[in-house]
């Protein structure tokens, strides 16, 4: 099928394309994109964008990463105007793949488009922004935040508050720089600090508290427990910079990464559904104690979403909780029984997730950049990290059978089907979950994975459907007051 047919009779081109096999479709797109096309025709008189998104989705779902990269680069090279228009739907894979491989060129290539236009693809931007922070690409995250904050904050196209993630990231970097100076005996100009924080929409209500924490003026043990009983929210606020300091000192993670882990885990700990059944929340052992069913329900809500950053948050909660609870134990705010109960619950839900999750695990390899938590052995940690990394070797060749018309319903059986339909109600996850407490602490087993091509159908996702939804919606974020 020639490029000339696409230009002469696009409807006939699509008719032939639709009945071709996936392998033939990929070859036809490569041929079509290998020469420049009239930008006006591509943008306004064809549906090439939807076709490319569906093919990109199929390639990713099949584990054909090099083919996906080649297709994206062809669009960038020969259809730059078209790519600029559709980058948030075609380019996020470049960033995720680049982060996994530590490929600076791919990372910067993807981020460059968002820096030029952070408003148009704000939902997708916030998704990849999470990946940047969780992989601890803090310098890039801060740079992007500083460039994106004002355009997003002043845009009439977005709901108020969309810019707060960028403001908080700049704030974390400011605190990190202040902490480094204090460790080297240098003084901090807190007035200048306050002025810069305010320029990113942050009201420095708790600056004296947090500056004291950074300077080492803090309570621990029984004194901290007493403060928690008196004012839980104030203590949680003071723990925020402490956790960042611990992750910086012990795991060599930036304050940006530490902040992201803490806030995502805290969202679970403060979940109203979990807290409404509890009494005497002023007692740390009551507030911080949770069971596997409560954790499973929260993870289900995060993973039952089309939006990939919610998937990443689900992994962050499970792999971040051990780091947070090690910290709480070290501070003397919880005892061994609460810590053991948390690890027991995490282990059960992790095992459940790893046995059922349909997407390649390498997308979430950032969890192993945070270092080994205390409860895991070196052998288990390394085996788990290898399992995640090796998932990038799994692939399904494109079918040579004629294609069926794309449908969202069928695609739900692939990449995110069981999850998107609901983790808890899907047959894949309907078995009863044991309500694990501190009395047991099973460790998640790590079955071996083969790197051979799989025989199952490729995971074809509905990104074209999602694209239409995200274009209609506006990202809405709650305003955050103070630090």
């Amino acid at each position: 099928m020639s490029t000339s047919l696409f230009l002469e009779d696009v409807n006939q081109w699509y008719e032939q394309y639709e009945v071709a096999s996936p392998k033939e479709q990929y070859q036809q797109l490569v041929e079509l994109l290998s020469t420049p096309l009239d930008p006006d025709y591509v943008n306004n008189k064809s549906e090439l964008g939807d076709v490319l998104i569906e093919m990109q989705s199929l390639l990713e779902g099949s584990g054909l990463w090099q083919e996906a990269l080649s297709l994206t680069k062809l669009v960038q090279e020969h259809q730059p105007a078209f790519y600029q228009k559709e980058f948030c739907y075609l380019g996020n894979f470049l960033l995720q793949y680049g982060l996994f491989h530590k490929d600076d060129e791919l990372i910067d290539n993807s981020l460059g488009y968002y820096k030029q236009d952070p408003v148009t693809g704000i939902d997708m931007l916030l998704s990849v922004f999470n990946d940047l922070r969780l992989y601890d690409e803090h310098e890039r995250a801060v740079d992007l935040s500083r460039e994106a904050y004002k355009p997003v904050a002043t845009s009439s196209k977005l709901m108020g508050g969309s810019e707060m993630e960028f403001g908080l990231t700049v704030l974390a970097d400011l605190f990190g720089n202040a902490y480094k100076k204090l460790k080297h005996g240098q003084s901090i100009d807190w007035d200048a600090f306050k002025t810069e924080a305010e320029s990113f929409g942050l009201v420095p209500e708790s600056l004296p508290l947090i500056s004291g924490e950074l300077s080492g003026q803090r309570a621990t043990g029984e004194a901290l427990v007493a403060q928690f009983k008196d004012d839980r929210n104030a203590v949680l606020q003071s723990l925020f910079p402490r956790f960042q300091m611990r992750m910086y000192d012990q795991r060599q993670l930036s304050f940006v990464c530490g902040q992201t882990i803490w806030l995502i885990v805290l969202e679970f700990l403060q979940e109203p559904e979990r807290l409404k059944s509890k009494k005497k929340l002023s007692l740390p052992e009551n507030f911080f104690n949770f069971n596997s069913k409560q954790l499973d329900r929260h993870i289900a809500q995060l993973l039952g979403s089309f939006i990939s950053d919610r998937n990443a948050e689900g992994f962050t909660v499970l792999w971040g909780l051990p780091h947070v609870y090690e910290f709480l134990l070290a501070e003397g705010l919880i005892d061994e029984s609460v810590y053991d109960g948390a690890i027991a619950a995490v282990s059960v839900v992790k095992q459940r997730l790893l046995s059922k999750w349909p997407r390649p695990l390498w997308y979430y390899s950032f969890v192993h950049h945070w270092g080994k938590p205390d409860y895991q052995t070196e052998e288990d940690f390394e085996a788990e990290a290898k399992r995640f990394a090796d998932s990038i070797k799994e692939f399904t060749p494109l079918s040579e059978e004629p294609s069926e018309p794309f449908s969202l319903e069928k695609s739900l059986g692939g990449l995110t089907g069981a999850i998107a339909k609901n983790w808890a109600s899907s047959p894949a996850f309907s078995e009863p979950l044991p309500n694990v407490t501190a009395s047991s602490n099973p460790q998640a087993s790590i079955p071996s994975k083969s790197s051979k091509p799989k025989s199952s159908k490729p995971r074809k996702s509905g990104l074209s459907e999602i694209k239409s939804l995200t274009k209609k919606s506006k990202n809405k974020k709650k305003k955050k007051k103070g630090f």
Side-chain angles (χ1 to χ4, degrees):
M1 188 164 57
S2 67
T3 301
S4 60
L5 180 60
F6 179 84
L7 298 174
E8 294 167 4
D9 190 340
V10 70
N11 291 327
Q12 186 179 349
W13 187 92
Y14 281 123
E15 287 176 4
Q16 294 184 24
Y17 178 88
E18 275 202 325
V19 298
S21 70
K23 184 176 182 179
E24 291 170 334
Q25 289 176 341
Y26 173 73
Q27 292 169 343
Q28 290 167 10
L29 284 175
V30 169
E31 177 188 348
L32 180 65
L33 295 169
S34 294
T35 56
L37 301 171
D38 176 42
D40 179 66
Y41 184 81
V42 171
N43 288 327
N44 303 315
K45 300 176 183 178
S46 75
E47 297 179 0
L48 185 59
D50 290 340
V51 172
L52 280 171
I53 289 169
E54 288 173 13
M55 178 53 68
Q56 186 82 346
S57 171
L58 177 61
L59 293 172
E60 292 179 39
S62 301
L64 299 172
W65 316 117
Q66 290 304 316
E67 288 84 348
L69 284 171
S70 297
L71 195 66
T72 302
K73 289 181 177 179
L74 277 175
V75 181
Q76 286 183 331
E77 181 180 355
H78 295 296
Q79 295 298 324
F82 173 75
Y83 187 84
Q84 179 65 49
K85 177 184 175 184
E86 303 285 351
F87 73 89
C88 58
Y89 304 106
L90 294 172
N92 282 6
F93 166 69
L94 293 180
L95 179 61
Q96 292 173 315
Y97 192 82
L99 287 169
F100 176 78
H101 285 287
K102 300 180 181 178
D103 188 321
D104 292 338
E105 183 179 354
L106 283 180
I107 296 171
D108 292 333
N109 180 301
S110 180
L111 292 180
Y113 289 93
Y114 281 114
K115 289 180 180 180
Q116 293 179 47
D117 183 8
V119 172
T120 298
I122 185 64
D123 295 291
M124 304 299 281
L125 169 56
L126 291 174
S127 174
V128 298
F129 186 60
N130 241 7
D131 290 332
L132 272 181
R133 295 182 293 178
L134 292 170
Y135 269 105
D136 203 18
E137 286 284 344
H138 59 281
E139 292 181 357
R140 286 185 169 98
V142 172
D143 181 56
L144 177 61
S145 296
R146 289 183 176 277
E147 293 202 31
Y149 179 84
K150 187 173 181 179
V152 171
T154 57
S155 174
S156 60
K157 300 178 181 179
L158 302 176
M159 298 292 289
S162 297
E163 74 282 0
M164 289 305 298
E165 293 295 326
F166 305 121
L168 285 171
T169 297
V170 173
L171 178 66
D173 188 56
L174 291 175
F175 277 131
N177 292 333
Y179 181 58
K180 293 172 194 175
K181 287 184 177 180
L182 290 171
K183 283 176 70 72
H184 289 88
Q186 302 174 26
S187 61
I188 307 298
D189 185 344
W190 291 111
D191 288 334
F193 184 107
K194 177 181 175 181
T195 299
E196 185 162 12
E198 288 177 336
S199 71
F200 286 92
L202 297 159
V203 183
E205 296 172 346
S206 304
L207 185 56
L209 170 67
I210 295 180
S211 62
E213 293 289 339
L214 292 176
S215 303
Q217 304 166 15
R218 54 183 182 269
T220 57
E222 292 182 2
L224 184 62
V225 171
Q227 289 181 4
F228 190 92
K229 292 178 180 179
D230 184 57
D231 191 341
R232 182 179 82 234
N233 290 331
V235 171
L236 289 174
Q237 198 170 55
S238 71
L239 291 175
F240 187 6
R242 291 196 206 186
F243 179 73
Q244 292 169 293
M245 287 185 280
R246 176 184 173 89
M247 297 302 278
Y248 176 80
D249 289 335
Q250 298 195 6
R251 308 292 184 189
Q252 291 73 56
L253 294 177
S254 71
F255 273 49
V256 170
C257 185
Q259 177 198 70
T260 309
I261 297 170
W262 174 264
L263 291 178
I264 291 174
V265 170
L266 189 64
E267 184 179 345
F268 163 63
L269 295 177
Q270 294 184 312
E271 184 182 49
E273 184 69 21
R274 187 182 78 87
L275 296 181
K276 73 179 183 181
S277 61
K278 289 179 171 287
K279 297 179 180 179
K280 297 183 178 180
L281 291 173
S282 60
L283 299 176
E285 59 267 30
N286 289 348
F287 178 80
F288 288 109
N289 190 44
F290 64 88
N291 58 49
S292 54
K293 288 187 177 180
Q294 293 169 337
L295 178 59
D296 185 76
R297 183 182 62 242
H298 183 74
I299 298 301
Q301 293 170 351
L302 294 175
L303 300 184
S305 170
F306 278 125
I307 309 304
S308 63
D309 68 326
R310 300 300 280 176
N311 295 165
E313 287 180 17
F315 279 80
T316 299
V317 172
L318 279 178
W319 272 261
L321 273 166
H323 292 287
V324 170
Y325 273 64
E326 286 170 18
F327 159 70
L328 296 174
L329 183 64
E331 292 292 316
L333 194 56
I334 62 172
D335 59 22
E336 291 281 356
S337 66
V338 175
Y339 171 80
D340 289 343
I343 296 302
V346 165
S347 297
V348 166
V349 180
K350 272 180 63 175
Q351 185 175 26
R352 178 177 170 91
L353 170 64
L354 291 175
S355 67
K356 304 296 184 182
W357 183 246
R359 200 176 188 216
L361 290 168
W362 71 264
Y363 283 103
Y364 315 103
S365 285
F366 52 77
V367 299
H368 300 111
H369 284 242
W370 308 337
K372 182 189 77 66
D374 292 343
Y375 83 96
Q376 270 189 309
T377 65
E378 287 286 353
E379 183 180 7
D380 285 344
F381 179 76
E382 290 175 5
E384 183 185 86
K386 185 177 186 300
R387 175 179 174 180
F388 275 55
D390 283 352
S391 69
I392 203 166
K393 301 175 184 177
E394 301 167 5
F395 67 95
T396 304
L398 290 180
S399 172
E400 297 185 28
E401 297 296 320
S403 298
E404 296 180 13
F406 177 82
S407 74
L408 178 60
E409 182 179 359
K410 289 183 179 179
S411 78
L412 288 179
L415 178 58
T416 58
I419 303 297
K421 285 184 177 179
N422 193 311
W423 161 289
S425 63
S426 166
F429 303 102
S430 59
E431 67 271 16
L433 180 70
N435 191 18
V436 178
T437 61
S439 60
S440 61
N441 188 9
Q443 299 298 313
S445 60
I446 304 176
S448 61
K449 288 284 185 178
S450 170
S451 61
K452 294 180 179 180
K454 297 181 291 182
S455 60
S456 60
K457 290 184 178 180
R459 300 172 291 261
K460 187 175 184 181
S461 66
L463 287 182
S464 59
E465 311 286 347
I466 299 168
K467 172 186 173 183
S468 65
L469 292 174
T470 55
K471 278 192 172 181
K472 293 176 183 176
S473 68
K474 300 297 182 183
N475 185 275
K476 185 175 182 180
K477 294 279 181 180
K478 290 183 179 180
K479 288 257 186 184
K480 292 183 173 65
K481 293 184 178 179
F483 293 154

